[in-house]
Amino acid sequence: MRNQLLFLRNGKVVTGLAILGFFTLLAVLGPWLSPYDPNQVSDALLSPPSATHWLGTDHTGRDILSQIIVGARGVLVVGLVAGVSATVVGVLVGVTAGFVGGVGDESLSALSNMFLVIPQLPLIILIAAQLPSAGGLTVALVIGATGWAWGARVLRAQTLSLRKRDFVEAARANGERTWRLVLAEVLPNLTAVIASGFVGTVTFAVLSQVTLSFIGITPVSEWNWGTILFWAQNNLALQRGAWWWFVPAGACIALLGMALTLVNFGIDEIVNPRLRSTGLHARSLRRRGIRPRVGFTPVVREVRS
Amino acid sequence: MSFLLRRIAFYVLTAWAAITINFFIPRLLPGDPVTALLGRMQGRIDSNAEHALRVLFGLDQDATLWQQYLDYWGLLLRGDLGLSFTHFPTPVSEIVNQSLPWTVGLVGVATVIAFVVGSLIGTFLGWRRGTWADGLLPVATFFQAVPYFWLGLITIAVLSVNLGWFPSSGSYDRGLVPAFTGEFIGSVVYYGFLPALTVVLSSVAGWVLGMRNMMVTVSSEDYVTVAHAKGLAERQVMLGYAARNAVLPQVSSFALSLGFVVGGTLIMEMVFSYQGIGYTLYQAVSTHDYPLMQGCFLVITLSVLVANMVADLAYALLDPRTRTEDR
């Protein structure tokens, strides 16, 4: 409980979660919130932002704000599905490798290292381009199937160090079964690592999906922020100076990615106390006149209830 | 020595896996686009090339899967990647050969610049932690979260369309004949500046954050305290003691991040119509040129593997622990 409060006291995490909450709201309520139908053609061709169209219109007079609001769902769903599937595979491979050791560990590690070294984006493009219809969910699963390796690698290292700890040995001596050792003793101690891997994968999935839409591999009728940029690029928005067409969509992607990174920073600071003592307390240290100097990690007693 | 052997064995295994993935993807996925295209090409394609395409895409139904696999390796070892559909009848290997040097040049220069600059900034930020320098962290986070191609669009809009300083597409002045002259090289640098700048901008943040966190961790080690106690100059402790050790994980993560940077650069080439292998892949995807797609993936992956191997060797040279470790 205390750890969760600590988590929420971190300014970075709160900012990140607030932005995430905003986009989640857009994703859920998008179709009701958007002022226009994103596919509705109008007479206002390529008009700059105005009172009627807050973010202007594209080359056929479609409202760009509506496209962004409706597109949020596509982006978040793909991020979530890809993140969950990659995390599940990563946990299965990583924890198994770390726990069983021996030949099983060697081969599973080699497998995840291979997936790490093979460049993912070209692989995803190759698979998605040969599928007959690469809709949002298909792309999410392809990203999940190729993007699990990083999480698996980190989890394996962490499991290795947990496996020989006293509490696990004690549980083993008590005659607990292996699956219970893994589920009840090891996994709870991996929560932070799993969470940070999940957040990282979601970031990667969002970027990959938007990139795939931008180069036109996913169907262009499915709205997401990459699709907007696809239309902008293919209708010379840059050359026509239509900044309202490509700036907002990109800014949304960047904002979402930043929010996820901020949450991950928070998790990192919980896992690594050295980062925490500089990050969380930098301001309060300065107020008390303690300047963190190289060579000394200031230990400040945290308020405990 | 055993470290090197283990790494080489790993890369050989990975190369084999990549080639095998490339073999299985068109066979496992539903749909049969190549048959349709072959039908359209009927009569214009000579029987030898048609056979090669059938082998590459698993269309020779008479052969067993094992036989197909052996045939596929046979083709690859002769350097035959089939014929491109769009640039018919140019062999895929020829197209890839022309575009690969451009990508290697762009990625190589941009990655080295980003690594050096990013590590230096990270050293500084980690050393001055808890001061105003921490204010630069959100900026770095932002650049890390921006998709490569969008940053490319923005730089084109600002520096090329609005200010007219740089060309927005292409890789050299089309009026020039490619040759080793000062004029041509100058043109290549001029056209490559904007793509390289965007790759540097979007990949530098990762190096900054990684180096900063390592500096924070390393600077509370005993040897740094000792260096301070000896009364060495601040600068010398920072660069000669702390940074020297903090940079090691950076070098080892260099290998892993390379695939990501290469992926981003491929997209950048699509935005800038830069004639590297990413742009070729883009054209192959948009024209459904499957042999060219497969060829591009294979060459990209193998190049990344070679680069990784070089990074590993560099790491072994830098960190003596990898050499003495007898595991």
Side-chain angles (χ1 to χ4, degrees):
Chain A
M1 204 58 214
R2 198 184 299 138
N3 268 345
Q4 282 163 8
L5 287 178
L6 191 70
F7 188 67
L8 285 180
R9 247 173 44 201
N10 189 326
K12 288 175 193 161
V13 175
V14 173
T15 319
L17 286 180
I19 299 174
L20 278 185
F22 171 72
F23 280 123
T24 313
L25 213 63
L26 277 194
V28 176
L29 301 176
W32 293 281
L33 285 177
S34 69
Y36 299 88
D37 177 356
N39 293 310
Q40 186 196 330
V41 178
S42 79
D43 291 337
L45 302 182
L46 205 63
S47 65
S50 62
T52 44
H53 297 284
W54 288 2
L55 289 178
T57 58
D58 68 4
H59 65 301
T60 52
R62 295 178 294 188
D63 185 53
I64 288 173
L65 178 65
S66 307
Q67 293 175 1
I68 286 183
I69 294 177
V70 172
R73 184 180 289 180
V75 175
L76 287 194
V77 166
V78 169
L80 203 67
V81 172
V84 168
S85 51
T87 308
V88 169
V89 180
V91 169
L92 283 178
V93 174
V95 175
T96 315
F99 206 81
V100 299
V103 183
D105 178 21
E106 288 278 330
S107 41
L108 285 177
S109 307
L111 186 71
S112 46
N113 281 339
M114 273 179 203
F115 267 91
L116 273 177
V117 178
I118 294 176
Q120 284 179 29
L121 198 61
L123 182 60
I124 296 173
I125 291 178
L126 186 71
I127 298 177
Q130 300 202 5
L131 285 170
S133 65
L137 277 183
T138 323
V139 168
L141 291 178
V142 173
I143 296 172
T146 54
W148 52 268
W150 181 256
R153 183 189 163 100
V154 180
L155 281 170
R156 172 188 168 265
Q158 200 70 18
T159 311
L160 268 183
S161 83
L162 283 173
R163 191 177 56 162
K164 291 288 165 201
R165 299 272 175 89
D166 287 347
F167 65 93
V168 180
E169 290 293 339
R172 200 194 311 263
N174 274 346
E176 298 281 12
R177 298 214 185 102
T178 312
W179 63 266
R180 222 196 101 81
L181 283 180
V182 173
L183 286 185
E185 307 292 338
V186 175
L187 267 189
N189 287 297
L190 293 173
T191 321
V193 183
I194 295 174
S196 118
F198 172 75
V199 174
T201 313
V202 171
T203 317
F204 174 75
V206 166
L207 286 184
S208 310
Q209 180 226 8
V210 166
T211 308
L212 289 183
S213 305
F214 172 69
I215 61 178
I217 286 182
T218 61
V220 288
S221 51
E222 263 177 42
W223 283 113
N224 69 47
W225 300 331
T227 324
I228 301 175
L229 294 169
F230 168 82
W231 288 111
Q233 166 83 347
N234 283 295
N235 291 289
L236 303 175
L238 291 174
Q239 284 75 5
R240 296 181 186 182
W243 56 267
W244 60 88
W245 199 348
F246 58 88
V247 171
C252 282
I253 301 165
L255 210 58
L256 180 62
M258 209 167 112
L260 290 166
T261 318
L262 285 177
V263 172
N264 235 352
F265 273 170
I267 300 173
D268 274 353
E269 284 177 5
I270 286 174
V271 178
N272 185 350
R274 277 174 176 171
L275 291 178
R276 177 165 69 221
S277 63
T278 63
L280 191 58
H281 294 301
R283 207 173 300 132
S284 72
L285 286 180
R286 214 172 308 137
R287 216 182 298 126
R288 284 196 255 161
I290 305 173
R291 191 176 158 255
R293 257 187 68 87
V294 173
F296 305 95
T297 299
V299 178
V300 180
R301 196 170 294 125
E302 278 152 16
V303 189
R304 297 263 153 97
S305 53
Chain B
M1 200 54 215
S2 80
F3 169 78
L4 285 186
L5 281 180
R6 276 216 320 274
R7 295 313 291 169
I8 289 171
F10 168 71
Y11 284 117
V12 170
L13 199 64
T14 311
W16 168 78
I19 291 170
T20 309
I21 289 176
N22 210 21
F23 169 79
F24 275 110
I25 284 176
R27 286 170 174 76
L28 287 182
L29 295 181
D32 201 351
V34 181
T35 316
L37 280 167
L38 279 179
R40 243 189 293 151
M41 297 277 176
Q42 202 80 52
R44 289 199 288 142
I45 187 169
D46 76 77
S47 61
N48 221 344
E50 186 178 331
H51 176 71
L53 283 175
R54 287 189 182 280
V55 170
L56 286 170
F57 287 91
L59 297 175
D60 44 349
Q61 307 296 352
D62 324 330
T64 61
L65 197 64
W66 178 240
Q67 188 57 42
Q68 290 182 27
Y69 189 60
L70 290 183
D71 287 351
Y72 178 79
W73 267 100
L75 280 178
L76 286 191
L77 290 179
R78 283 199 302 273
D80 188 349
L81 295 173
L83 297 182
S84 160
F85 286 156
T86 29
H87 307 275
F88 195 76
T90 322
V92 167
S93 48
E94 199 172 299
I95 301 175
V96 169
N97 259 342
Q98 281 168 4
S99 53
L100 189 63
W102 292 96
T103 304
V104 171
L106 184 64
V107 177
V109 172
T111 313
V112 169
I113 293 178
F115 180 78
V116 172
V117 172
S119 296
L120 282 178
I121 298 178
T123 306
F124 178 75
L125 289 188
W127 195 250
R128 297 243 173 272
R129 69 189 201 269
T131 64
W132 60 269
D134 281 357
L136 286 178
L137 286 182
V139 182
T141 320
F142 179 80
F143 274 105
Q144 205 183 22
V146 172
Y148 278 40
F149 66 88
W150 186 67
L151 206 61
L153 292 180
I154 297 292
T155 47
I156 291 182
V158 175
L159 292 179
S160 157
V161 175
N162 278 350
L163 295 172
W165 289 354
F166 294 98
S168 66
S169 68
S171 40
Y172 61 89
D173 189 350
R174 291 288 156 192
L176 296 173
V177 184
F180 270 104
T181 60
E183 198 188 5
F184 180 72
I185 292 172
S187 162
V188 168
V189 171
Y190 179 55
Y191 274 75
F193 185 82
L194 220 48
L197 176 75
T198 25
V199 175
V200 169
L201 274 183
S202 39
S203 57
V204 79
W207 301 121
V208 172
L209 294 175
M211 188 68 182
R212 186 232 173 221
N213 283 354
M214 265 327 283
M215 280 298 279
V216 169
T217 312
V218 161
S219 55
S220 51
E221 295 282 348
D222 290 343
Y223 55 79
V224 176
T225 315
V226 170
H228 268 295
K230 279 198 289 189
L232 292 177
E234 179 101 358
R235 222 180 111 86
Q236 202 179 348
V237 181
M238 174 169 89
L239 294 176
Y241 287 73
R244 225 175 131 178
N245 286 289
V247 84
L248 286 176
Q250 290 277 94
V251 177
S252 70
S253 71
F254 187 87
L256 294 177
S257 72
L258 201 66
F260 190 72
V261 176
V262 166
T265 313
L266 300 180
I267 306 302
M268 206 67 99
E269 288 177 0
M270 301 175 188
V271 173
F272 284 95
S273 311
Y274 197 85
Q275 61 180 39
I277 205 158
Y279 188 57
T280 310
L281 178 65
Y282 174 57
Q283 284 176 323
V285 166
S286 49
T287 53
H288 302 284
D289 189 342
Y290 295 96
L292 190 53
M293 250 187 257
Q294 302 278 118
C296 283
F297 171 73
L298 202 60
V299 171
I300 292 169
T301 310
L302 294 183
S303 320
V304 169
L305 288 186
V306 171
N308 268 332
M309 213 145 84
V310 174
D312 266 1
L313 292 181
Y315 186 69
L317 287 178
L318 283 176
D319 190 346
R321 281 174 297 183
T322 54
R323 275 171 278 157
T324 54
E325 185 186 46
D326 36 316
R327 264 186 51 204

